[in-house]
Amino acid sequence: PLKGDPLQLFSGPEKTVLELPLASSASAVASQYTVAGIEHILIGTDHLLFVLCLMMIAGTFRRLVLTVTGFTLAHSITLSLATLDIFRLPTELVELLIALSILLLAVEIIKHRKQGRQSFTWRYPVTVSAVFGLLHGFGFAVVLQELGLPGSMKVQALLFFNIGVELEQLAFIAVDLGLVLFAT
């Protein structure tokens, strides 16, 4: 529109016709950003590997819920800070550190299986997942910065992107637990 904030629509090459609305509704923003959060996790093999490692380390269902919640709360903080331009880290550094966090968890799993020792990661998975969650939040922010946030609904878009991320994480965990139960 000539007056007000620009409108943002997510689209891909599969759509040949795009209808432009006169205004962006709160429900449209919620839907677009929830789907964007879900899609980010679905295509993020690195993140799915990280969650799988957390599942292996957590052990019990209760610890798994606390571990994933700790991760979610932490990544929500840095996702918000970076997306709202309060604090940022260089993208290359974030991507490197995220890869190292996955590698560290994989090494912890291998060491635990070989030696059986309880390292800090195994004793305190919630703390470890929260610390790594702070790092991963900066990675999620890169995606949101590329998508952009609607000027008048930044907080809502941020919230619903985060909800999409969490919904897909929980769906991934549910499918994995279902497969494990089915296999045993």
Side-chain angles (χ1 to χ4, degrees), residues 132-184:
F132 286 152
L134 291 170
L135 176 64
H136 284 242
F138 286 114
F140 293 152
V142 171
V143 174
L144 263 183
Q145 290 158 352
E146 289 172 359
L147 292 175
L149 291 173
S152 63
M153 292 190 239
K154 281 184 180 186
V155 174
Q156 293 92 330
L158 181 59
L159 172 68
F160 282 100
F161 180 82
N162 213 20
I163 287 171
V165 165
E166 185 62 12
L167 288 174
E168 190 52 43
Q169 282 181 164
L170 293 174
F172 176 74
I173 290 168
V175 167
D176 285 350
L177 289 177
L179 289 173
V180 168
L181 288 174
F182 180 74
T184 56

Side-chain angles (χ1 to χ4, degrees), residues 49-60 64 109 112-113 122:
L49 284 172
F50 183 81
V51 172
L52 189 60
C53 288
L54 288 178
M55 290 176 67
M56 295 168 104
I57 290 171
T60 66
L64 175 60
I109 291 167
H112 179 74
R113 302 234 173 185
W122 287 86

Side-chain angles (χ1 to χ4, degrees), residues 51-129:
V51 172
L52 189 60
C53 288
L54 288 178
M55 290 176 67
M56 295 168 104
I57 290 171
T60 66
F61 183 75
R62 181 178 184 276
R63 279 177 51 147
L64 175 60
V65 169
L66 291 172
T67 299
V68 171
T69 301
F71 177 79
T72 298
L73 292 174
H75 81 68
S76 299
I77 292 168
T78 51
L79 173 63
S80 300
L81 291 173
T83 304
L84 298 174
D85 281 329
I86 297 170
F87 184 79
R88 282 194 186 184
L89 290 176
T91 303
E92 296 80 13
L93 176 63
V94 169
E95 294 300 324
L96 174 67
L97 292 175
I98 287 173
L100 288 174
S101 73
I102 298 165
L103 182 62
L104 175 72
L105 290 184
V107 167
E108 284 289 320
I109 291 167
I110 292 167
K111 280 175 39 181
H112 179 74
R113 302 234 173 185
K114 284 185 176 182
Q115 300 168 359
R117 284 195 343 250
Q118 294 286 327
S119 67
F120 182 86
T121 302
W122 287 86
R123 288 191 312 268
Y124 304 103
V126 178
T127 303
V128 171
S129 71

